[in-house]
Amino acid sequence: MGKVSLYAPIAYLVLLLSSLALFSTIYRRRKVRRLVGLKPWFDEHASRDIYLSLKAQTSPKVPEKMLKAALLRRATENVRRIMSLQESKPALAELHQRGAVGDELWTRFLAAEKVMDAEIMECAGEANTIKPGWAQTLFPSAAEIVHNSRIRERLAQVPELQKEEREKWQIVRETALSELENENGASVDTEVKKASKKKK
Amino acid sequence: MDYSEPPLPIIFNEVTKHVDLPQDDLTPSRAKEIQELNSLYRDLVALNADVPPPPNQINGRLNDQVRKLKDAGNASYKKGQYSDAVRMYSLAIEMALKRPPWEGSGFVREELSVLYSNRAQAHMYMSAWGDALVDADTAIYLKRNFAKAHYRKGKCMQHMGRLQEAKAAYELGLECGGTDGSDGELKSALAEVNELLYS
């Protein structure tokens, strides 16, 4: 009887701990598998791939400024992604809380945030390796690149928009003039007023 | 791409000073990125420093060039040579867009908004209402509380008989807080368009 009373608690403990350990490994492995299977939030990170590829190239060696430009492009894409995450977070959190979007989407979003944090850290580290202290201004510069490229996109539309407005006005004017010709007699001034009233 | 994956076979062309990616590895986003990278590289090579300065540091030489073109535009405008003025303002806009993209966008907006607004005015004197309208609208896009640009937009709308839109433009202009002294013009223009609309 004495033997049993000595081994029973030890056996119990071993059994308990090993089952806990087994559960935790299986649980964690499943969780990892589930996360790995998730579709990433963003598409491929082209500028990061390009930067890493340029950095890996040894012969012929890529000029220093090309590498810097590539890192700045990478930071620019990161800023764009961070902005888009920040913009969508409040709405998405609200929808998730109300149950309007599934857990999977929310998990994907949280994973994307973590990935972006790591990506920013790595990017800053690269900048400081190239030039100590550059990480301080790298992201402000990248943010301006994002803003300026939006501005340029809008300004690039100006000639096309002007063409549209010119054509629209041309049609309106021609119809107004032909109406004027049809209704002879009344003074031009009031006719113009009438024509403009019709259009609104 | 993880680090374990093989790097992309990017080639730096010593002659063209460009990077290129073979057709097989080119996805649309990579193609766009390569193009942006080459353009940024050119800007960085032209820069007299090893990394871009903080965004609040603005290229002074470009400032002067833009200002000279703007002054030339203003001079033509005063002489009544409106098409010359439009050409000068367009050149100034082109010059202002040559700024490297890392310079402060706030400054860029300010500088360009004045140029578009001036070009709108020159277009208006040539009765090119469509062109003027888009220019004024662009000036407003660049600087939302630009009362004078709202006024010009309204005038263009009014001349094209779009009275409701003209009214809306004047009203928005009056909400800008009268910083550039356009409130008087805006008020009388609003009264005029109300007269046309409701009398």
Side-chain angles (χ1 to χ4, degrees):
Chain A
M1 274 311 269
K3 252 187 180 175
V4 175
S5 61
L6 183 66
Y7 286 117
I10 296 173
Y12 171 72
L13 269 180
V14 168
L15 197 70
L16 181 71
L17 288 179
S18 56
S19 61
L20 277 179
L22 192 69
F23 173 76
S24 123
T25 30
I26 290 176
Y27 176 76
R28 254 185 281 173
R29 204 172 292 163
R30 272 200 193 156
K31 200 172 164 188
V32 166
R33 204 175 303 151
R34 217 170 52 229
L35 278 177
V36 166
L38 284 181
K39 200 170 159 279
W41 190 263
F42 293 110
D43 289 343
E44 58 168 1
H45 197 323
S47 56
R48 181 199 54 188
D49 297 352
I50 289 170
Y51 172 77
L52 291 175
S53 308
L54 284 173
K55 200 186 155 198
Q57 206 157 91
T58 44
S59 66
K61 211 157 166 36
V62 179
E64 173 100 349
K65 277 206 168 168
M66 181 57 91
L67 214 54
K68 286 174 181 165
L71 186 62
L72 193 51
R73 285 301 308 167
R74 181 180 174 184
T76 303
E77 177 62 18
N78 287 342
V79 168
R80 209 184 57 73
R81 290 184 177 197
I82 292 275
M83 282 174 167
S84 121
L85 287 178
Q86 277 172 351
E87 275 164 26
S88 34
K89 189 166 191 180
L92 196 62
E94 171 99 19
L95 287 173
H96 177 245
Q97 215 165 24
R98 283 200 229 145
V101 300
D103 281 338
E104 199 203 294
L105 193 76
W106 183 242
T107 318
R108 275 175 59 202
F109 181 84
L110 294 179
E113 277 191 326
K114 290 230 172 67
V115 168
M116 280 319 296
D117 283 346
E119 168 62 19
I120 293 278
M121 289 300 288
E122 199 182 299
C123 209
E126 291 286 328
N128 282 338
T129 320
I130 292 178
K131 193 195 175 199
W134 186 24
Q136 297 271 330
T137 58
L138 176 70
F139 291 105
S141 298
E144 293 304 338
I145 294 179
V146 173
H147 293 310
N148 278 320
S149 74
R150 280 187 194 161
I151 292 174
R152 270 155 227 243
E153 263 168 42
R154 167 66 176 76
L155 296 187
Q157 294 169 0
V158 166
E160 184 60 30
L161 291 172
Q162 283 180 324
K163 191 166 160 264
E164 275 170 30
E165 285 295 341
R166 267 201 302 269
E167 282 164 3
K168 216 161 48 174
W169 171 228
Q170 187 67 23
I171 291 164
V172 170
R173 211 173 60 169
E174 272 163 15
T175 35
L177 282 176
S178 66
E179 273 171 23
L180 269 180
E181 273 168 19
N182 292 342
E183 301 171 31
N184 296 318
S187 90
V188 175
D189 198 48
T190 50
E191 284 295 331
V192 169
K193 222 189 245 180
K194 250 192 232 164
S196 59
K197 276 198 172 181
K198 263 177 219 155
K199 264 168 265 143
K200 61 167 204 251
Chain B
M1 183 180 76
D2 286 323
Y3 293 110
S4 51
E5 278 183 41
L8 301 167
I10 292 184
I11 305 146
F12 178 73
N13 189 325
E14 290 285 347
V15 184
T16 58
K17 306 283 178 200
H18 273 180
V19 286
D20 267 320
L21 200 56
Q23 206 64 42
D24 293 348
D25 295 288
L26 218 52
T27 60
S29 68
R30 281 178 189 161
K32 185 168 176 287
E33 199 44 54
I34 290 275
Q35 200 187 342
E36 297 276 0
L37 172 59
N38 283 324
S39 141
L40 189 62
Y41 174 65
R42 275 196 301 276
D43 287 329
L44 212 52
V45 168
L47 178 72
N48 232 345
D50 53 351
V51 297
N56 57 4
Q57 268 183 43
I58 304 293
N59 180 337
R61 222 185 58 230
L62 246 161
N63 274 1
D64 294 340
Q65 283 168 335
V66 172
R67 198 181 313 122
K68 264 183 208 151
L69 287 167
K70 189 180 91 178
D71 290 345
N74 289 349
S76 302
Y77 172 80
K78 276 187 195 129
K79 280 187 255 167
Q81 296 161 343
Y82 301 116
S83 62
D84 282 348
V86 165
R87 218 180 52 237
M88 285 302 155
Y89 292 138
S90 303
L91 285 173
I93 289 167
E94 232 171 83
M95 185 63 75
L97 286 175
K98 282 193 183 144
R99 285 188 182 288
W102 53 75
E103 287 190 4
S105 57
F107 178 85
V108 172
R109 280 177 180 274
E110 188 74 37
E111 183 178 52
L112 281 166
S113 65
V114 174
L115 295 172
Y116 275 100
S117 171
N118 285 6
R119 197 172 78 176
Q121 175 84 326
H123 273 138
M124 284 163 76
Y125 272 93
M126 301 195 303
S127 300
W129 304 112
D131 296 74
L133 171 66
V134 175
D135 276 347
D137 216 23
T138 306
I140 294 167
Y141 159 78
L142 291 164
K143 192 179 164 194
R144 222 171 293 172
N145 63 345
F146 196 169
K148 198 171 271 175
H150 284 286
Y151 171 75
R152 287 173 183 167
K153 179 181 174 181
K155 277 283 161 196
C156 294
M157 291 293 195
Q158 197 177 332
H159 273 282
M160 292 193 282
R162 290 153 71 173
L163 299 182
Q164 288 290 357
E165 288 164 283
K167 182 171 149 60
Y170 296 141
E171 282 165 350
L172 266 178
L174 281 168
E175 277 173 33
C176 294
T179 39
D180 58 6
S182 312
D183 268 16
E185 282 176 321
L186 279 164
K187 271 181 196 146
S188 57
L190 184 60
E192 193 184 312
V193 81
N194 275 333
E195 179 83 3
L196 285 171
L197 273 169
Y198 304 115
S199 65

